[in-house]
Amino acid sequence: MIALVRYLAVDLLRSQRYLPPLLLHCAVLGMMFSGDAGDALFAYAGSCALIYPVAAWFGVVVATTEDPIQRTVTAVTAGGWGRVAVAQALLAAVGVVVLSVIATVWPVVTNPHPYSLAEVGLGAVAHLVCGFTGVGVGMLCSRPVIGRAGPSLLAVVAVVAVTFKVGQATPVGAVLGGLAHRDLGALPVAAVAAVLLVAVDAVAGWRLGPRRA
């Protein structure tokens, strides 16, 4: 499995399609934290709202780096569609960790306010929850669930927009609301929901991949 994740990662790096979401992430963080961002949890609320759509974009990139023919070859070589789907989800998770570390550390380095270890830890978990939710949405709205690029993009944009609209009924909304009100009691439930969403992506890729190949 590690070798398969490494292969998919090399293919992703070679394609350079990860660069636009990564550069957007860093550029917006640079603007957000160019001055005094204030209280730690309030500052993290802004970067959590950012990482969600960026991670959704990254999820689309991970799901579509290989074209259908190449993905079929990879599945045959790797020993099945299930292994490829799991490796794909693991690669997306690694990307979320990288984005979360950047978003968590950035204000600690640039802001004049001291951030406690507890606040940094809560910020890291909050970013991971929003990031996992984002890649879950992105991958679920991409191949093999939605095969065409246009409808896939529209689906991602629609889901992200609706997520912000419905408030705390979603993992992202629960995190943002908790940061705003300094009450993160819903964070464990939101984390479980985010991880389950990525697991659903893996199952969808395993079940639908052979049919849509």
Side-chain angles (χ1 to χ4, degrees), residues 51-73:
I51 198 174
Y52 173 52
V54 170
W57 187 359
F58 181 73
V60 174
V61 169
V62 171
T64 58
T65 297
E66 292 186 312
D67 61 45
I69 295 177
Q70 185 180 2
R71 178 54 53 87
T72 301
V73 173

Side-chain angles (χ1 to χ4, degrees), residues 129 171 185-194:
V129 171
L187 191 58
V189 176
V192 171

Side-chain angles (χ1 to χ4, degrees), residues 133 162-178 186 189-190 193:
T133 305
V162 169
T163 299
F164 286 123
K165 188 69 174 176
V166 299
Q168 299 190 35
T170 66
V172 173
V175 169
L176 296 181
V189 176

Side-chain angles (χ1 to χ4, degrees), residues 17-63:
R17 293 180 60 193
Y18 68 94
L19 282 175
L22 176 61
L23 293 177
L24 175 65
H25 187 60
C26 293
V28 177
L29 285 175
M31 291 186 288
M32 289 176 60
F33 300 126
S34 59
D36 185 358
D39 175 78
L41 296 185
F42 179 79
Y44 281 144
S47 51
C48 283
L50 167 67
I51 198 174
Y52 173 52
V54 170
W57 187 359
F58 181 73
V60 174
V61 169
V62 171

Side-chain angles (χ1 to χ4, degrees), residues 109-174:
V109 175
T110 59
N111 276 345
H113 292 283
Y115 282 37
S116 69
L117 186 60
E119 290 172 329
V120 173
L122 286 173
V125 176
H127 284 103
L128 287 171
V129 171
C130 294
F132 276 115
T133 305
V135 295
V137 168
M139 294 174 68
L140 200 60
C141 294
S142 303
R143 291 195 303 258
V145 180
I146 300 177
R148 298 176 60 187
S152 175
L153 176 61
L154 289 175
V156 171
V157 172
V159 172
V160 170
V162 169
T163 299
F164 286 123
K165 188 69 174 176
V166 299
Q168 299 190 35
T170 66
V172 173

